[in-house]
């Protein structure tokens, strides 16, 4: 059996080797081969196209119309390699092997041949009609598209296509009227005209007309018209009365159903909960008139189901007050109930079904049934990345978290996360051994309530997500041969949204206690020469609060290029300093303590902006700008080690190691100082990355990263670390590199190779490229999960 397998493997290898020998031979000889000698009879090979605009329009609608016309006329020929390079390699293979009956010939044909694109299959007549309709859709009613087939002068079996596009002047909206609605619907539609997407003076655009129909439909459905649909609305247009102008009238279609013209109220509500395996409910209960059907055991508290199902949403178009016992149906309210239920994360399936209370012609009440199946109670997540740089450090970093949902039957979730990092540094400088291992391990656990748990400002659900998080954590950092640092604490955080794009996070209480544990003699010697390092690591409380604002427009429809901005403000120690001041101690006095231990006092601000420019479905440019500052004052003039900034690593400046840059022009230390983390109180960073599809779910990237950290105050141990405008440009570290990303849908596997272009410290080289050592020695390799930004 093994012999047969080995023979098969050898023969397979030899056959494939022969294939590629043949292919290589073809590459040398095919440049003179014809690409049309084996085409089907009466077919002409398509070699490309050109679009000539006889006139264009500078309006925004004109630019969009031009882009869509180009898309309608675009067709890639089979005579270009990868659809871009003017090398007809695929057609060479097609003509040489299309009639091949040998196995190797068929193999080459199937793997490398291009399917010919003919003038007949391009179908320019249809493309011209589509492009003309596009012009009409954007108001270019006099626009026209023609084409010419241009035969190749050297080969009559090849031809290209030239499209002539004449846009002419666009038409603009003159007036818009709404007619033929019943009296109540007419009042609603007229009242909502202030939000109309069609206004006099705007360029005519069919897309806007469709959006206006959707807007009016949503407004009606928010006010009880459950059975109304957007296709019940139509337009009448007059383009003759005023040249270049369009007079529009929106009206219901003929024969509009009676049910679509009637408002409906919400009646009896009930809940049907299936088992996790889809089991049909076999028991029931009732809570405040809400009938609940469930399987085996009710695993969701009735009061929470009642609260979610009776969610009191209120939109700007809703004139029905929430306190009314008999409420009109509202599409907005229905969407918010579904979002609220989805946010709990405890349902794998859910649906809100509305059915008439009875079959009579005068029925105006809809009963509501919420159908759902409970999801699995546990979820796990793993994050992992590995970094290696031959001139510095290497090591893996990972985190593993487990989440239990619906802990108390009200959508609460309990998460426990274990994280760890191990790094080693190897090498020698002369006779000095710089080898050192270090590790960091931490665990945190948090309990999240899907609402504002405490304090209760109002006894109702919010329109947008609102959560309360209670967290405790502990982290152990071990620098072998030097010291151990233990940090533990907890916080309470409120997260909520104001709109779809604006998010807020408020932490009114956060307390961390840093304990400097084992200190070796070597560390004590270093601490004497670097007092700032010791002060940042010494035992201290960090009593803080924070406020975070996040802007994210990616959830909005029609956002092609999303942006994201987050800013966090963190003051620490001020409350306790105020308490001391109330008892007579000056606010600026130092060495005040909490439970016998000094506490930190500072103000920290951190901001980050990201922008994703989607060029097309295969190319995107991602960018990021980030900055931060921390100012220590009052009780302590040196910020805690855990609060200082650092950059470098897999998600930062990828040509350098984590905490391997700065502050400022400080050169990385060797020998016994080589372990020191390079942190600062000012951070500046910028990144740009071009992401392009290679094949299928495999993407490539090339990037440019820049940044550094600086000190706000002068430090004798780090004289080049303070931010000064004179030396600032030279102290910006710059790196570039390439990477691969494999998209598994649920996560991204990433490999990046970073190369430094400029070191922020003096290296003795006068040129901008001042990196010391060989090129390969300075490369940094990163394995990670997810995009860096």
């Amino acid at each position: 059996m093994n012999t047969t397998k080995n023979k098969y493997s050898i023969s397979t290898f030899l056959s494939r080797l022969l294939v590629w020998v043949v292919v290589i031979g073809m590459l040398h000889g095919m440049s003179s081969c014809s690409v049309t000698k084996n085409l089907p009879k009466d077919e002409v090979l398509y070699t490309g196209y050109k679009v000539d605009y006889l006139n264009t329009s500078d309006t925004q609608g004109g630019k969009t119309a031009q882009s869509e016309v180009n898309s309608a006329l675009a067709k890639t020929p089979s005579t270009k390699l990868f659809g871009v390079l003017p090398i007809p390699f695929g057609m060479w293979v097609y003509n040489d092997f299309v009639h091949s009956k040998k196995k190797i010939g068929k193999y080459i044909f199937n793997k490398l041949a291009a399917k010919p694109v003919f003038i007949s299959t391009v179908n320019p007549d249809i493309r011209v009609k589509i492009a003309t309709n596009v012009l009409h859709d954007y108001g270019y009613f006099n626009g026209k598209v023609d084409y010419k087939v241009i035969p190749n002068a050297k080969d009559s079996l090849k031809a290209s296509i030239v499209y002539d596009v004449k846009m002419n002047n666009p038409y603009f909206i003159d007036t818009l009227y709404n007619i033929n609605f019943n009296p109540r619907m007419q009042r609603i539609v007229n009242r909502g005209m202030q939000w109309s997407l069609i206004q006099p003076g705007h360029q005519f655009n069919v897309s806007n007309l469709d959006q206006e129909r959707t807007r009016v439909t949503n407004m009606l459905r928010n006010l009880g018209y459950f059975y109304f649909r957007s296709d019940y609305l139509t337009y009448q247009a007059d383009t003759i009365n005023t040249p270049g102008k369009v007079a529009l009238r929106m009206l219901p279609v003929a024969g509009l159903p009676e049910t679509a013209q009637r408002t409906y109220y919400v009646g009896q509500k009930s809940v049907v909960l299936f088992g996790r395996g889809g089991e049909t409910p076999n028991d029931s209960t009732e809570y405040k008139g809400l009938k609940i059907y469930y399987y085996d055991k009710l695993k969701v508290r009735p009061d929470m189901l009642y609260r979610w199902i009776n969610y009191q949403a209120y939109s700007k178009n809703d004139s029905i007050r929430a306190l009314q016992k008999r409420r009109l149906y509202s599409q907005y309210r229905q969407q918010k109930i579904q979002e609220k239920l989805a946010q709990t994360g405890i349902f794998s399936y859910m649906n809100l079904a509305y059915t008439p209370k009875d079959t009579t012609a005068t029925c105006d009440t809809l009963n509501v049934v919420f159908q759902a199946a409970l999801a699995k109670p546990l979820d796990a997540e793993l994050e992992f990345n590995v970094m290696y740089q031959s001139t510095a450090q290497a090591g893996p970093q990972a985190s593993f978290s487990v989440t239990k949902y619906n802990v108390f039957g009200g959508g609460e979730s309990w998460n426990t996360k274990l994280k760890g990092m191990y790094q080693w540094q190897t090498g020698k400088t002369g006779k000095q051994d710089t080898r050192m291992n270090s590790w960091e391990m931490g665990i945190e656990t948090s309990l999240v309530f899907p609402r504002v748990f405490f304090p209760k400002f109002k006894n109702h659900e919010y329109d947008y997500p609102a959560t309360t998080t209670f967290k405790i954590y502990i982290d152990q950092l071990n620098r072998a041969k030097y010291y151990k640092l233990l940090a533990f604490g907890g916080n309470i955080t409120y997260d909520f949204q104001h709109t779809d794009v604006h998010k807020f996070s408020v932490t009114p209480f956060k307390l961390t206690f840093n304990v400097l544990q084992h200190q070796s003699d070597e560390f004590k010697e270093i601490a004497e020469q670097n007092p700032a390092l010791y002060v940042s690591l010494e035992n201290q409380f960090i009593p803080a609060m924070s406020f975070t604002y996040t802007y994210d427009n990616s959830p909005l429809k029609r956002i092609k290029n999303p942006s994201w901005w987050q800013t966090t403000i963190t003051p620490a120690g001020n409350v306790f300093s105020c308490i001391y001041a109330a008892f007579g101690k000056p606010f600026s006095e130092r060495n005040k303590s909490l439970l016998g231990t000094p506490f930190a006092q500072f103000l920290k601000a951190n901001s980050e902006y990201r922008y994703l420019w989607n060029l097309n479905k295969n190319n995107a440019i991602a960018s990021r700008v980030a900055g931060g500052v921390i100012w220590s004052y009052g009780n302590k003039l040196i910020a805690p080690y855990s609060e200082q900034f650092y950059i470098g690593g897999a998600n930062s400046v990828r040509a350098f190691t984590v905490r391997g840059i700065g502050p400022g022009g400080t050169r990385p230390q060797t020998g016994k100082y080589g372990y020191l983390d390079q942190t600062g109180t000012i951070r500046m960073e910028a990144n740009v990355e071009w992401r392009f599809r290679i094949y299928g779910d495999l993407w490539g990237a090339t990037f440019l990263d820049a940044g550094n950290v600086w000190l706000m105050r002068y430090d004798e141990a780090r004289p080049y670390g303070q931010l000064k405008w004179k030396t600032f440009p030279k102290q910006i570290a710059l790196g570039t590199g390439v990477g691969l990303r494999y998209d598994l849908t649920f996560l991204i596997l990433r490999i990046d190779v970073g190369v430094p272009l400029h070191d922020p410290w003096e290296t003795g080289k006068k040129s901008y490229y001042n990196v010391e050592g060989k090129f390969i020695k300075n490369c940094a390799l990163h394995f990670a999960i997810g995009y860096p930004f």
Side-chain angles (χ1 to χ4, degrees):
M1 182 65 68
N2 292 336
T3 304
T4 304
K5 183 176 181 179
N6 291 337
K7 287 182 178 179
Y8 175 78
S9 300
I10 294 173
S11 63
T12 302
F13 170 77
L14 291 176
S15 64
R16 290 183 177 178
L17 179 62
L18 180 60
V19 168
W20 291 113
V21 169
V22 174
V23 171
I24 293 172
M26 289 167 55
L27 289 175
H28 288 285
M30 281 185 177
S31 58
S32 60
C33 295
S34 170
V35 296
T36 58
K37 65 180 180 179
N38 285 322
L39 295 183
K41 187 178 180 181
D42 299 327
E43 291 287 4
V44 177
L45 186 66
Y46 167 73
T47 58
Y49 74 100
K50 180 183 178 184
V51 181
D52 288 332
Y53 284 88
L54 305 183
N55 69 320
T56 57
S57 175
D58 293 332
T59 66
Q60 185 60 45
K63 295 176 182 178
T64 305
Q66 188 172 336
S67 175
E68 293 194 15
V69 165
N70 291 338
S71 298
L73 301 177
K75 178 64 178 178
T76 302
S78 55
T79 55
K80 290 186 178 181
L81 186 62
F82 305 125
V84 178
L85 301 177
I87 302 174
F89 177 77
M91 286 304 301
W92 290 337
V93 178
Y94 173 87
N95 280 280
D96 277 8
F97 295 95
V98 65
H99 299 305
S100 177
K101 296 181 180 180
K102 295 181 180 180
K103 185 175 181 180
I104 187 172
K106 291 181 178 180
Y107 178 84
I108 294 175
F109 181 83
N110 293 331
K111 294 294 183 181
L112 301 175
K115 184 179 180 180
V117 178
F118 307 115
I119 294 292
S120 60
T121 57
V122 172
N123 217 331
D125 293 295
I126 298 297
R127 292 181 182 275
V128 162
K129 291 180 181 179
I130 295 174
T132 302
N133 289 337
V134 169
L135 292 178
H136 294 172
D137 288 346
Y138 283 89
Y140 297 91
F141 297 123
N142 296 322
K144 189 177 181 181
V145 183
D146 292 315
Y147 77 94
K148 299 185 292 286
V149 176
I150 310 299
N152 188 290
K154 297 181 180 180
D155 190 341
S156 61
L157 295 180
K158 294 193 295 185
S160 60
I161 300 175
V162 175
Y163 296 99
D164 294 323
V165 180
K166 190 174 184 181
M167 298 181 69
N168 292 320
N169 294 323
Y171 277 63
F172 293 87
I173 301 296
D174 185 22
T175 56
L176 172 64
Y177 296 101
N178 303 298
I179 61 173
N180 294 354
F181 292 91
N182 67 39
R184 185 176 187 274
M185 296 176 71
Q186 188 72 54
R187 289 194 300 270
I188 294 172
V189 175
N190 289 342
R191 192 167 63 238
M193 284 297 292
Q194 58 182 313
W195 298 294
S196 175
L197 302 175
I198 303 175
Q199 298 291 341
H202 288 185
Q203 184 173 333
F204 179 88
N205 187 332
V206 169
S207 176
N208 288 344
L209 267 61
D210 291 338
Q211 291 182 54
E212 177 66 8
R213 291 199 310 171
T214 300
R215 187 193 67 82
V216 172
T217 299
N218 291 341
M219 185 170 57
L220 291 171
R221 285 176 58 83
N222 284 340
L223 293 171
Y225 292 91
F226 175 79
Y227 289 104
F228 199 89
R229 304 197 308 261
S230 60
D231 56 359
Y232 287 161
L233 294 173
T234 187
Y235 290 95
Q236 293 178 348
D238 180 4
T239 60
I240 300 176
N241 191 36
T242 305
K245 300 287 186 178
V246 182
L248 286 174
R249 290 189 296 182
M250 177 190 285
L251 65 159
V253 297
L256 184 67
E258 179 64 27
T259 55
Q261 303 181 61
R262 181 190 306 163
T263 56
Y264 287 83
Y265 293 86
V266 177
Q268 180 67 42
K269 305 178 185 71
S270 58
V271 176
V272 179
L273 297 178
F274 297 93
R276 292 194 175 95
E279 297 88 351
T280 303
N282 55 11
D283 205 346
S284 65
T285 187
E286 188 171 333
Y287 180 83
K288 293 185 179 181
L290 178 66
K291 195 71 173 179
I292 304 172
Y293 302 87
Y294 56 91
Y295 172 75
D296 194 21
K297 181 181 179 181
L298 183 58
K299 298 179 181 178
V300 184
R301 296 205 313 270
D303 63 316
M304 293 308 300
L305 288 172
Y306 180 85
R307 184 172 179 168
W308 293 328
I309 297 300
N310 288 278
Y311 166 65
Q312 305 287 331
Y314 179 76
S315 71
K316 63 183 179 182
N317 296 326
D318 194 349
S319 63
I320 308 301
R321 295 298 183 264
L323 294 178
Q324 287 184 306
K325 293 183 178 180
R326 193 166 183 250
R327 292 179 301 170
L328 282 173
Y329 165 81
S330 169
Q331 177 180 265
Y332 178 82
R333 185 183 298 114
Q334 176 186 346
Q335 291 173 346
K336 288 303 175 183
I337 290 174
Q338 290 174 320
E339 291 175 5
K340 187 65 63 177
L341 291 165
Q343 290 158 15
T344 64
I346 64 177
F347 302 109
S348 62
Y349 158 81
M350 58 183 183
N351 178 53
L352 277 175
Y354 291 79
T355 57
K357 181 180 179 180
D358 54 57
T359 59
T360 61
T362 59
C363 177
D364 65 349
T365 303
L366 301 172
N367 289 338
V368 186
V369 179
F370 171 61
Q371 299 173 328
L374 291 172
K376 294 181 179 180
L378 294 175
D379 188 22
E381 182 178 1
L382 173 66
E383 296 181 6
F384 180 79
N385 69 71
V386 177
M387 178 276 299
Y388 172 75
Q389 186 167 6
S390 58
T391 58
Q393 295 178 331
Q397 187 171 335
S399 67
F400 178 73
S401 62
V402 177
T403 303
K404 179 176 175 56
Y405 295 102
N406 203 33
V407 179
F408 305 121
E412 305 85 0
S413 62
W414 181 23
N415 175 269
T416 300
K417 183 176 182 179
L418 178 66
K419 60 181 181 179
M421 179 271 293
Y422 185 82
Q423 285 186 337
W424 60 87
Q425 183 174 1
T426 61
K428 290 186 177 182
T429 302
K431 297 181 179 180
Q432 177 66 51
D433 187 357
T434 64
R435 290 179 296 181
M436 184 195 69
N437 297 336
S438 65
W439 55 265
E440 182 177 358
M441 182 175 294
I443 185 171
E444 63 181 47
T445 184
S446 59
L447 183 61
V448 181
F449 293 83
R451 58 195 179 279
V452 176
F453 180 78
F454 177 83
K456 292 185 177 180
F457 298 106
K458 291 183 180 180
N459 190 28
H460 68 75
E461 297 290 333
Y462 293 88
D463 281 8
Y464 290 91
T467 62
T468 304
T469 303
F470 298 87
K471 179 190 291 187
I472 58 174
Y473 48 88
I474 184 169
D475 187 85
Q476 176 76 73
L477 173 65
N478 179 68
R479 288 295 193 184
K481 301 190 301 182
Y482 293 98
Y483 68 89
K484 285 184 179 181
L485 180 67
L486 180 67
F488 60 90
N491 63 266
I492 302 173
T493 301
Y494 300 104
D495 296 294
F496 53 92
Q497 285 185 236
H498 177 61
T499 66
D500 286 330
V501 299
H502 302 288
K503 302 177 183 179
F504 301 90
S505 180
V506 179
T507 301
F509 174 80
K510 179 180 180 181
L511 184 63
T512 302
F513 185 40
N514 289 344
V515 182
L516 183 60
Q517 297 174 306
H518 168 73
Q519 304 174 47
S520 68
D521 293 336
E522 290 176 297
F523 174 76
K524 292 177 181 178
E525 180 183 347
I526 295 172
E528 290 179 1
Q529 301 179 38
N530 194 335
L533 170 67
Y534 181 78
V535 173
S536 69
L537 289 169
E538 69 178 356
N539 297 354
Q540 60 185 309
F541 278 104
I542 308 175
M545 56 182 65
S546 68
F547 173 81
T548 299
Y549 165 74
T550 304
Y551 173 85
D552 182 6
N553 66 3
S554 59
L556 299 181
K557 296 179 180 178
R558 302 187 67 185
I559 293 294
K560 180 181 178 181
N561 303 314
S563 58
W564 181 90
W565 176 44
Q566 185 175 88
T567 297
T568 300
I569 306 295
T570 305
N574 295 323
V575 173
F576 288 99
S577 287
C578 288
I579 294 174
Y580 270 98
F583 284 92
K585 286 196 174 184
F587 189 80
S588 59
E589 182 178 331
R590 300 177 193 172
N591 300 319
K592 297 186 289 287
S593 63
L594 173 64
L595 300 178
T597 302
F599 60 86
Q601 189 173 4
F602 59 81
L603 179 63
K604 180 179 181 181
N606 199 24
S607 188
E608 182 173 325
Y609 176 78
R610 303 175 185 177
Y611 182 78
L612 181 62
W613 183 17
N614 288 301
L615 303 175
N616 51 52
K617 66 179 182 180
N618 295 319
N619 292 271
I621 295 178
S623 58
R624 173 176 65 177
V625 178
V629 61
I630 180 170
W631 174 253
S632 300
Y633 57 91
N635 203 44
K636 284 233 178 192
L637 296 184
I638 298 177
Y641 167 85
S642 58
E643 295 291 338
Q644 295 187 26
F645 299 107
Y646 62 88
I647 61 174
N651 298 320
S652 184
V653 184
R654 283 160 281 185
F656 299 86
T657 58
V658 178
R659 299 180 177 91
I661 313 173
T666 303
R667 186 183 183 93
Q669 299 294 310
T670 58
K672 62 182 179 182
Y673 294 96
Y675 84 97
L676 293 178
D677 289 337
Q678 295 171 249
T679 59
T681 53
I682 300 174
R683 172 202 178 204
M684 298 183 192
E685 183 177 352
N687 315 81
V688 62
E689 179 174 286
W690 172 34
R691 299 167 183 170
F692 51 90
R693 189 189 302 272
I694 298 176
Y695 181 79
D697 294 327
L698 181 64
W699 289 70
T702 180
F703 53 83
L704 187 68
D705 303 325
N708 203 340
V709 293
W710 288 266
L711 300 177
M712 189 170 288
R713 294 186 174 95
Y714 179 77
D715 183 2
E716 292 184 359
R718 295 172 289 179
Y720 303 106
Q722 188 177 20
L723 178 64
K724 296 181 179 180
W725 296 116
K726 183 178 180 179
T727 57
F728 167 72
K730 294 182 180 180
Q731 293 178 351
I732 298 177
L734 183 68
T736 187
V738 296
L740 293 174
R741 291 96 170 86
Y742 190 74
D743 190 351
L744 296 176
T745 304
F746 58 93
L747 58 84
I748 306 292
L749 301 179
R750 172 165 61 96
I751 300 176
D752 285 329
V753 178
V755 181
L757 297 178
H758 178 75
D759 288 336
W761 53 83
E762 287 293 334
T763 64
K765 295 185 178 182
K766 295 183 178 180
S767 61
Y768 184 79
Y769 180 80
N770 63 345
V771 181
E772 299 174 295
K774 296 181 179 179
F775 176 85
I776 193 66
K777 289 286 186 180
N778 290 290
C779 292
L781 179 64
H782 304 278
F783 298 91
I785 294 176
Y787 286 115
F789 50 87

